[in-house]
Amino acid sequence: MGTKTVKKKKNTPLTRLSGALKYFGGEINPNKETSQGQNKALGLTMLARKNRISTKIFPKTGRPWKNITSDSFSLSIFSQTGSGILRASVIVSKKVARTAVPRNKIRRRIYSILRKEISACPQNMLLVCYVKKPALEKSFSVLETELKHLLRKI
């Protein structure tokens, strides 16, 4: 009776990237280098720091100027005094996903969509996007069309 040997997959950047592709449901863009990180290779890049809401200016109190909801999102829009740029934040609570991995995955997806669509939105406001539980099961393209539709309502 001999022991059975199991071959292990090599942990190379390509196998890690293909695993990330399966997880995020994206495609590799051949024009982007994989050394910049898996998220950039997948097309998931963060919103610029100047367009994100910092903890100092996050609207802790006060009522939003407008609320827009859908199946997957709830957008709260606050008026902003001072700088004339749109700032956004994405909030995924533990009620939506218990572990940090799916919370961060959906948060990165939403930031990536916002980065593309931020120029078409009105400026001088704070946009807070609360993610709901059905967003976890939806694909990136469905989330993108749903969020674009909500941003047109502003």
Side-chain angles (χ1 to χ4, degrees):
M1 287 178 54
T3 59
K4 190 175 182 181
T5 59
V6 178
K7 286 187 177 181
K8 278 184 140 182
K9 278 189 173 181
K10 289 186 178 181
N11 192 9
T12 64
L14 188 58
T15 57
R16 287 192 303 264
L17 184 59
S18 64
L21 278 173
K22 291 176 187 173
Y23 183 74
F24 286 111
E27 295 180 14
I28 293 178
N29 186 347
N31 298 329
K32 294 185 181 180
E33 295 182 21
T34 57
S35 63
Q36 294 176 349
Q38 293 175 351
N39 288 334
K40 286 190 179 183
L42 293 171
L44 298 176
T45 53
M46 283 292 285
L47 194 61
R49 184 177 293 271
K50 68 177 185 176
N51 293 115
R52 284 184 267 160
I53 300 175
S54 67
T55 55
K56 292 179 183 177
I57 63 170
F58 192 84
K60 292 183 171 87
T61 59
R63 298 185 67 172
W65 170 68
K66 193 173 189 180
N67 280 326
I68 305 170
T69 60
S70 71
D71 292 340
S72 303
F73 307 108
S74 175
L75 295 180
S76 294
I77 299 128
F78 296 86
S79 61
Q80 177 185 358
T81 57
S83 70
I85 60 173
L86 175 75
R87 293 180 182 264
S89 181
V90 178
I91 298 174
V92 186
S93 73
K94 285 188 179 179
K95 288 183 181 179
V96 174
R98 289 187 81 189
T99 60
V101 174
R103 284 198 311 267
N104 290 335
K105 173 185 167 185
I106 194 74
R107 184 180 55 84
R108 283 191 301 268
R109 283 181 168 186
I110 304 307
Y111 271 129
S112 178
I113 296 167
L114 286 174
R115 183 183 58 82
K116 294 176 192 172
E117 301 299 320
I118 202 162
S119 60
C121 296
Q123 301 299 308
N124 203 19
M125 63 177 60
L126 300 176
L127 178 79
V128 181
C129 179
Y130 296 96
V131 179
K132 296 179 182 178
K133 206 166 198 152
L136 291 175
E137 287 86 32
K138 294 186 179 178
S139 68
F140 183 82
S141 59
V142 173
L143 292 174
E144 188 173 22
T145 55
E146 192 172 337
L147 193 56
K148 280 181 184 179
H149 180 70
L150 288 180
L151 291 173
R152 275 189 246 128
K153 289 184 178 181
I154 296 176

